[in-house]
């Protein structure tokens, strides 16, 4: 294949005078070779307009067939209809990057524009991204060159401003990047999106109430990316009211950042579930309620959820014309999230459409490897481990060796993202600080602090302008020295994940079993008081779900060590048979 040439990146002042004299300035700039000038003047281009205030940037990304005319439109016409353009026009320090390439055509510039928006919306120092569209393209002439051309563009931009255009890996490691509405959707996701938008439009046009759309899929099926994309698509309309909710602190942080950076907060809000229920009534429903990780919603009253019904999802549906809920039965983790039979009957009475996502988009492994993981979790079977050149599946004799391997991957193999240690909730932990030391996961002489206890070092704080409070647990660099739980990694991608399988997961009589008596996860093993007053246990089911969440985090690799001797032995035999 022909080698892809370098892009041309030209930086200029964003002003009427510079735009009017654009041709002259480019032709007389010694940094732009004569043979490259046409790619900036006559060819389609992509451009980035930026301004900086209080150490944060406002950014606009666009593409055009005539950069001179489009820039003058931004300066002379757009300020009359949009306040953000009027503010940008008045700034004296605004700058503009014009990007050209010999292979640019309409589809390629739209794709590069969309990719730039995905990156810019994930940059910590970008406070606001002004654009109203999502333009990812599918297959087109030169689509196979897009990634290489983009990487070369970003490298050039990085050289011009490292704060505005940080390293690609720093961006791609972020949870915000992975959940961005500008991610390119697969055919399966696009088909689901079309069906969902059609159902929402129909319900709103016909003034229907209490419509439910369920998006169902296993961990790693791309549910959050789809949700983020549709949330952004609808929020741009500005004529409907939208609220997005998630009962997961790490995911909530991500959605709040997306809404803030993309200026969606006028009609599209990110709220806690209880806040939404308290602020909204049945007689005045909002248009669309988004519920990501709906399996984490409460299904019984508590101190945080009291005064409404006994099921948060039902209460949300009653307060919205359409509710779009992402649901995975295998990721229910607490007894307070168990859906009882009487509530299932109530939910079935709502007008419901179900959308299924069947692809495995997180774990980049062969079908045989994915099946091995699923059989381990779902059927309790430890089968022969398949050979797989695409996925790194390993068993470690000790947790010390596994931790060392994860630290090495996180330090030396950063091409594909972060790596972290996680564990089943089989060791005591409390949000209350321990009197001495830390709440820890331990085995023999090995130990690691549970998540959310360590703080960034002084050197880390001094060497970074990042606000750690806005980052999810895996994104914070010091968490390489902690071990995560389901409560900090659910919904997150990791490059390599090391799973310390605690004593609640055992191997007896040729099967994997779950032992609630060996778990410290009281929210999973304590009795559930049913609506009838009966007390029931769901520990075995919920501990299986806990293992499911942990074993499905790794994109490129899964490392395992089991505390239970018989389980470790069964796993060792399964790996020996592979070899």
């Amino acid at each position: 294949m022909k080698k892809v040439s370098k892009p041309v990146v030209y930086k200029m002042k964003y002003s009427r005078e510079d735009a009017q004299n654009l041709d002259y300035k480019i032709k007389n700039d010694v940094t732009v070779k004569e043979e490259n000038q046409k790619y900036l003047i006559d060819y389609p281009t992509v451009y980035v307009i930026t301004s900086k205030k209080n150490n944060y940037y406002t950014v606009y990304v666009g593409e055009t067939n005539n950069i001179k005319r489009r820039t003058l439109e931004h300066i002379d016409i757009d300020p009359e209809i949009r306040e953000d353009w009027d503010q940008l026009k008045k700034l004296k320090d605004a700058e503009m990057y014009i990007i050209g390439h010999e292979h640019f055509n309409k589809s390629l510039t739209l794709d590069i524009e969309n990719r730039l928006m995905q990156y810019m919306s994930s940059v910590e120092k970008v406070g606001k991204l002004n654009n109203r569209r999502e333009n990812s393209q599918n297959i087109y002439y030169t689509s196979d060159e897009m990634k290489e051309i983009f990487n070369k563009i970003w490298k050039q931009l990085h050289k011009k401003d490292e704060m505005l255009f940080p390293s690609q890996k720093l961006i791609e490691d972020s949870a915000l990047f992975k959940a961005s509405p500008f991610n390119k959707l697969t055919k399966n996701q696009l088909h689901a999106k079309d069906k969902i938008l059609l159902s929402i439009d129909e319900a709103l046009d016909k003034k229907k109430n209490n419509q439910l759309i369920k998006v169902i899929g296993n961990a790693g099926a791309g549910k959050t990316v789809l949700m983020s994309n549709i949330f952004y698509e609808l929020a741009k309309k500005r004529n409907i009211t939208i609220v997005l909710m998630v009962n997961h602190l790490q995911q909530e942080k991500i959605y709040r950042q997306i809404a803030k950076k993309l200026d969606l907060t006028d009609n599209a809000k990110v709220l806690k579930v209880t806040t939404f229920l308290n602020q909204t009534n049945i007689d005045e429903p909002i248009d669309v309620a988004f519920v990501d990780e709906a399996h984490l919603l409460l299904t019984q009253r508590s101190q945080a959820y009291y005064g409404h019904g006994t099921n948060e999802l039902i209460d949300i549906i009653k307060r919205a014309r359409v509710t779009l809920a992402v649901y995975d039965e295998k990721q229910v983790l607490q007894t307070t999230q168990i859906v009882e039979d009487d509530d299932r009957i109530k939910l079935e009475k709502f007008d419901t459409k179900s959308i299924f996502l069947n692809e495995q988009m997180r774990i980049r492994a062969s079908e045989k490897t994915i099946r091995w993981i699923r059989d381990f979790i779902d059927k309790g079977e430890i089968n022969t481990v398949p050979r797989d050149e695409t996925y790194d599946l390993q068993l470690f004799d000790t947790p010390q060796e596994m931790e060392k391997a994860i630290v090495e991957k996180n330090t030396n193999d950063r091409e594909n993202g972060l790596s972290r240690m996680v564990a089943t909730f089989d060791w005591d932990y409390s949000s209350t600080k321990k009197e001495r030391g830390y709440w820890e996961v331990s085995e023999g002489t090995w130990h690691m602090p549970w998540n959310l206890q360590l703080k960034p070092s002084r050197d880390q704080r001094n060497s970074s302008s990042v606000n750690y409070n806005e980052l999810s647990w895996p994104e914070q660099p010091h968490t390489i020295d902690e071990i995560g739980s389901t409560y900090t990694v659910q919904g997150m991608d990791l490059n390599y994940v090391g799973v310390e399988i605690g004593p609640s997961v055992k191997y007896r009589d040729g099967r994997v079993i779950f032992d609630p008596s060996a778990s410290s996860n009281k929210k999973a093993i304590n009795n559930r008081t049913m609506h009838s007053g009966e007390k029931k246990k769901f520990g075995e089911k919920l501990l299986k779900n806990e293992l499911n969440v942990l074993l499905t985090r790794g994109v490129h690799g899964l490392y395992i060590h089991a505390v239970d001797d018989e389980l470790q032995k069964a796993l060792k035999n399964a790996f020996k048979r592979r070899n």
Side-chain angles (χ1 to χ4, degrees):
M1 191 174 76
K2 182 182 175 182
K3 186 177 179 182
V4 174
S5 60
K6 288 184 178 180
V8 186
V9 178
Y10 180 71
K11 183 179 178 181
M12 60 176 274
K13 222 181 141 182
Y14 176 70
S15 69
R16 181 185 288 104
E17 180 183 353
D18 283 65
Q20 287 173 332
N21 297 312
L22 183 62
D23 298 9
Y24 175 81
K25 290 177 71 65
I26 290 173
K27 289 177 180 178
N28 288 276
D29 193 320
V30 294
T31 65
V32 183
K33 294 180 180 179
E34 186 175 349
E35 63 267 27
N36 290 337
Q37 293 171 3
K38 60 186 176 183
Y39 303 136
L40 298 174
I41 299 170
D42 302 318
Y43 274 50
T45 55
V46 180
Y47 57 95
V48 181
I49 302 171
T50 75
S51 65
K52 188 178 179 182
K53 184 178 180 181
N54 297 329
N55 218 25
Y56 280 87
Y57 292 88
T58 295
V59 175
Y60 180 91
V61 180
E63 61 80 37
T64 181
N65 289 328
N66 188 320
I67 187 63
K68 180 176 180 178
R69 185 191 67 214
R70 188 70 186 112
T71 306
L72 289 171
E73 287 174 351
H74 284 322
I75 292 170
D76 295 330
I77 298 173
D78 291 341
E80 297 178 8
I81 55 176
R82 276 178 49 181
E83 184 182 348
D84 50 357
W85 283 110
D86 186 48
Q87 293 174 350
L88 196 57
K89 175 184 176 180
K90 295 173 182 176
L91 296 172
K92 294 180 179 181
D93 63 343
E95 297 177 326
M96 183 172 181
Y97 298 84
I98 305 173
I99 304 160
H101 194 276
E102 64 175 337
H103 289 179
F104 269 2
N105 54 55
K106 187 66 174 179
S107 293
L108 182 52
T109 56
L110 285 170
D111 225 7
I112 294 290
E113 175 197 34
N114 189 79
R115 187 75 164 164
L116 274 169
M117 287 191 288
Q118 182 185 9
Y119 273 69
M120 300 309 297
S121 65
S122 307
V123 174
E124 199 270 337
K125 284 299 176 182
V126 171
K128 189 175 180 183
L129 179 64
N130 291 327
N131 203 318
R132 299 286 189 264
R133 61 184 183 178
E134 174 265 325
N135 271 324
S136 65
Q137 304 293 296
N138 292 317
I139 298 175
Y140 53 88
Y141 179 65
T142 68
S143 62
D144 59 329
E145 298 178 355
M146 192 280 284
K147 186 175 181 180
E148 186 176 353
I149 291 173
F150 177 83
N151 290 345
K152 290 184 175 183
I153 289 171
W154 194 265
K155 283 181 181 178
Q156 288 199 40
L157 292 170
H158 177 67
K159 288 178 182 178
K160 293 181 181 294
D161 189 335
E162 293 185 6
M163 186 175 288
L164 178 58
F165 307 104
S167 71
Q168 285 183 263
K169 284 318 307 163
L170 185 64
I171 293 173
E172 291 170 4
D173 278 351
S174 73
L176 192 61
F177 178 83
K178 293 164 185 172
S180 169
F182 304 113
N183 272 292
K184 187 174 289 190
L185 302 183
T186 65
K187 287 184 179 179
N188 185 233
Q189 287 173 314
L190 285 169
H191 182 61
K193 177 182 176 179
D194 289 341
K195 290 170 70 174
I196 290 167
L197 290 177
L198 187 64
S199 297
I200 291 173
D201 288 342
E202 180 186 1
L204 296 182
D205 288 343
K206 294 183 179 180
K207 300 189 185 317
K208 294 181 179 179
N209 285 338
N210 312 139
Q211 305 292 293
L212 174 61
I213 303 172
K214 289 176 70 175
V215 179
I216 301 168
N218 287 333
K223 302 184 295 296
T224 293
V225 167
L226 177 62
M227 182 72 84
S228 174
N229 185 282
I230 296 174
F231 176 67
Y232 180 62
E233 181 88 8
L234 291 178
K236 290 183 298 180
K237 293 184 177 183
R238 305 279 176 173
N239 61 344
I240 58 176
T241 52
I242 303 167
V243 172
L244 190 149
M245 294 159 272
V246 58
N247 264 356
H248 190 286
L249 180 59
Q250 309 299 320
Q251 289 289 84
E252 184 188 334
K253 288 180 182 179
I254 295 165
Y255 283 124
R256 286 190 185 279
Q257 288 184 71
I258 290 173
K260 182 180 178 181
K261 284 176 180 281
L262 301 180
D263 194 26
L264 306 178
T265 54
D266 288 341
N267 64 315
K269 301 183 184 301
V270 178
L271 297 176
K272 295 184 182 296
V273 174
T274 50
T275 302
F276 170 74
L277 293 177
N278 290 332
Q279 291 181 353
T280 315
N281 62 63
I282 296 172
D283 297 327
E284 297 179 3
I286 65 163
D287 291 314
V288 184
F290 285 79
V291 188
D292 198 2
E293 311 271 10
H295 39 268
L296 302 181
L297 292 175
L298 298 176
T299 58
Q300 66 176 183
R301 289 179 178 175
S302 67
Q303 287 184 327
Y305 172 49
Y306 193 85
H308 303 288
T310 55
N311 185 296
E312 286 185 329
L313 180 56
I314 292 174
D315 288 336
I316 290 168
I317 294 169
K318 290 177 179 179
R319 289 161 174 77
R321 300 192 188 284
V322 184
T323 298
L324 178 58
V326 168
Y327 196 83
D328 180 4
E329 186 84 37
K330 294 176 181 176
Q331 291 196 65
V332 174
L333 298 175
Q334 302 177 18
T335 59
T336 55
Q337 298 159 359
I338 294 289
V339 179
E340 298 191 32
D341 291 340
D342 58 339
D343 279 346
R344 290 187 189 278
I345 293 170
K346 291 176 185 176
L347 286 165
E348 287 170 2
K349 290 180 180 178
F350 293 113
D351 189 355
T352 304
K353 289 183 173 66
S354 295
I355 310 290
F356 296 90
L357 293 180
N358 301 314
E359 294 176 292
Q360 173 47 249
M361 297 180 61
R362 176 182 295 129
I363 302 174
R364 296 178 188 173
S366 67
E367 288 187 16
K368 288 183 178 179
T369 297
I370 293 171
R371 175 47 48 201
W372 185 90
I373 295 170
R374 293 264 41 110
D375 286 346
F376 182 3
I377 300 165
D378 300 335
K379 298 179 181 179
E381 297 176 357
I382 307 293
N383 299 317
T384 301
V385 179
R387 295 181 180 274
D388 190 346
E389 297 298 323
T390 63
Y391 196 75
D392 188 7
L393 178 57
Q394 292 190 47
L395 177 72
F396 287 80
D397 290 331
T398 67
Q400 291 97 321
E401 293 172 305
M402 183 166 66
E403 182 190 357
K404 182 180 178 182
I406 288 294
V407 170
E408 184 176 337
K409 285 293 181 185
N410 189 67
T411 305
N412 301 323
D413 184 12
R414 294 296 301 277
E415 183 179 346
N416 297 298
L418 301 168
S419 299
R420 289 292 183 271
M421 290 278 284
V422 300
T424 53
F425 207 135
D426 295 342
W427 291 265
D428 289 343
Y429 176 76
S430 172
S431 57
T432 304
K433 188 175 180 181
K434 202 173 183 182
E435 285 188 20
R436 294 182 182 179
Y438 300 105
W439 299 103
E440 290 184 328
V441 175
S442 61
E443 183 184 356
T445 59
W446 172 84
H447 53 91
M448 285 187 81
W450 266 123
N451 42 211
L452 303 175
Q453 295 185 95
L454 299 184
K455 303 298 180 186
S457 67
R458 181 177 296 177
D459 288 342
Q460 287 171 333
R461 293 195 303 270
N462 292 340
S463 64
S464 173
S465 57
V466 172
N467 182 354
Y468 285 97
N469 291 329
E470 291 187 357
L471 296 180
S472 63
W473 178 80
E475 295 176 89
Q476 301 179 39
H478 60 278
T479 61
I480 188 63
D481 296 318
E482 291 185 321
I483 194 161
S485 68
T486 51
Y487 299 110
T488 46
V489 299
Q490 188 170 30
M492 302 291 169
D493 291 355
L494 292 169
N495 181 20
Y496 288 78
V497 61
V499 184
E500 174 75 351
I501 303 176
S504 69
V505 187
K506 294 177 166 61
Y507 193 75
R508 299 291 184 270
D509 301 320
R511 311 288 298 179
V512 176
I513 65 167
F514 298 89
D515 179 7
S517 69
S519 172
S520 294
N521 190 355
K522 294 179 181 179
K523 293 180 179 179
I525 62 176
N526 282 354
N527 288 333
R528 158 77 182 240
T529 302
M530 309 297 281
H531 297 159
S532 64
E534 178 189 4
K535 295 187 184 297
K536 291 185 69 173
K537 292 185 179 295
F538 295 91
E540 292 181 25
K541 174 184 177 179
L542 297 178
L543 294 182
K544 178 190 284 190
N545 289 355
E546 180 180 73
L547 186 67
N548 173 53
V549 169
L550 299 179
L551 293 184
T552 55
R553 295 305 100 199
V555 175
H556 293 286
L558 168 62
Y559 295 169
I560 302 171
H561 171 264
V563 172
D564 180 71
D565 289 338
E566 291 189 43
L567 177 56
Q568 181 74 1
K569 183 179 178 180
L571 286 167
K572 186 170 285 190
N573 288 335
F575 276 85
K576 280 182 180 177
R577 292 195 298 270
R578 175 178 69 176
N579 298 325

